[in-house]
Amino acid sequence: SQTIHQWPATLVQPVGSPLSLECTVEGTSNPNLYWYRQAAGRGLQLLFYSVGIGQISSEVPQNLSASRPQDRQFILSSKKLLLSDSGFYLCAWSSDSNQPQHFGDGTRLSIL
Amino acid sequence: AQSVTQPDIHITVSEGASLELRCNYSYGATPYLFWYVQSPGQGLQLLLKYFSGDTLVQGIKGFEAEFKRSQSSFNLRKPSVHWSDAAEYFCAVKAAGNKLTFGGGTRVLVKP
């Protein structure tokens, strides 16, 4: 069966520091991969999605970037974090764009 | 562009009582529709999906949802709520492309 892993589960970072969140999927090939942010008390905002290695689509302009160096690995990065980057970051995968997305357990990011 | 509205931010229900969560969407054609549940600090779990066919769909954990095209709605129901159903519930719409649009969520509190 397919599984999705995100780490770390919790992260506290100072303003201006870099960020790297990792997401990996097991048990499937060539998945669509997604990064979402969930601000406190709000719904989910799609940040990036990828349909293949090296293919990244950005949904909103921001301080973050994403990369897909391997088929089942999706990385969310920032060179310099802002206070507004705080939130709950969720990675998801789907077998194709018309199938349901399946979510990881998320990373709680706090910026100090 | 598609949009999703969940009119109820919070709902409190007694254990054993029935539950109905409202979801209205805006999209020109018939979208793919989903309900997800999120426990505190966790990722989202798919409850059920509607793609086509029978407008009453059954999901996991005893939930069901009914698609009503005339009302642009996809309401989630459960006949008898358990304390473990306390969580946040998200309705989502998938239209053209890769984007899944989420509603703002409904937080369900269960009274003993």
Side-chain angles (χ1 to χ4, degrees):
Chain A
S1 64
Q2 302 88 0
T3 56
I4 179 169
H5 303 280
Q6 277 187 253
W7 68 91
T10 305
L11 189 60
V12 180
Q13 292 283 96
V15 170
S17 63
L19 173 73
S20 180
L21 303 181
E22 191 161 342
C23 171
T24 59
V25 180
E26 297 177 358
T28 187
S29 297
N30 196 32
N32 286 2
L33 297 171
Y34 308 84
W35 277 112
Y36 289 87
R37 177 168 57 205
Q38 186 177 28
R42 300 175 66 178
L44 281 78
Q45 178 187 36
L46 179 64
L47 301 175
F48 302 94
Y49 69 88
S50 171
V51 298
I53 295 175
Q55 301 178 58
I56 308 295
S57 296
S58 174
E59 285 295 304
V60 292
Q62 60 209 317
N63 185 42
L64 303 168
S65 62
S67 61
R68 185 170 176 172
Q70 300 181 45
D71 181 44
R72 290 168 289 175
Q73 184 184 30
F74 204 24
I75 297 172
L76 183 69
S77 304
S78 174
K79 293 182 179 179
K80 296 179 72 172
L81 286 167
L82 306 172
L83 283 174
S84 58
D85 292 323
S86 293
F88 191 51
Y89 288 83
L90 290 156
C91 181
W93 74 273
S94 65
S95 55
D96 64 57
S97 63
N98 290 326
Q99 294 303 314
Q101 294 178 19
H102 304 277
F103 288 79
D105 287 335
T107 295
R108 174 77 56 194
L109 176 63
S110 299
I111 310 300
L112 303 179
Chain B
Q2 67 267 25
S3 65
V4 182
T5 301
Q6 293 181 245
D8 304 304
I9 298 175
H10 294 100
I11 284 183
T12 300
V13 60
S14 296
E15 192 168 12
S18 63
L19 174 68
E20 182 167 12
L21 304 182
R22 295 183 291 164
C23 172
N24 294 98
Y25 67 90
S26 173
Y27 181 58
T30 299
Y32 295 169
L33 297 159
F34 308 89
W35 274 100
Y36 287 86
V37 61
Q38 184 181 31
S39 297
Q42 300 294 313
L44 278 70
Q45 181 183 22
L46 179 69
L47 285 176
L48 47 79
K49 61 188 179 187
Y50 173 77
F51 286 177
S52 64
D54 192 346
T55 56
L56 184 63
V57 293
Q58 303 297 319
I60 63 171
K61 303 186 178 188
F63 284 92
E64 66 178 24
E66 186 171 12
F67 169 60
K68 292 186 177 180
R69 183 192 305 275
S70 62
Q71 298 177 20
S72 298
S73 69
F74 188 55
N75 293 349
L76 181 71
R77 299 193 292 255
K78 185 168 183 177
S80 178
V81 170
H82 187 261
W83 64 266
S84 60
D85 294 322
E88 189 154 21
Y89 292 80
F90 292 93
C91 181
V93 168
K94 161 70 173 63
N98 284 289
K99 190 170 182 177
L100 193 62
T101 300
F102 286 85
T106 298
R107 186 169 298 279
V108 174
L109 304 175
V110 180
K111 294 190 302 183

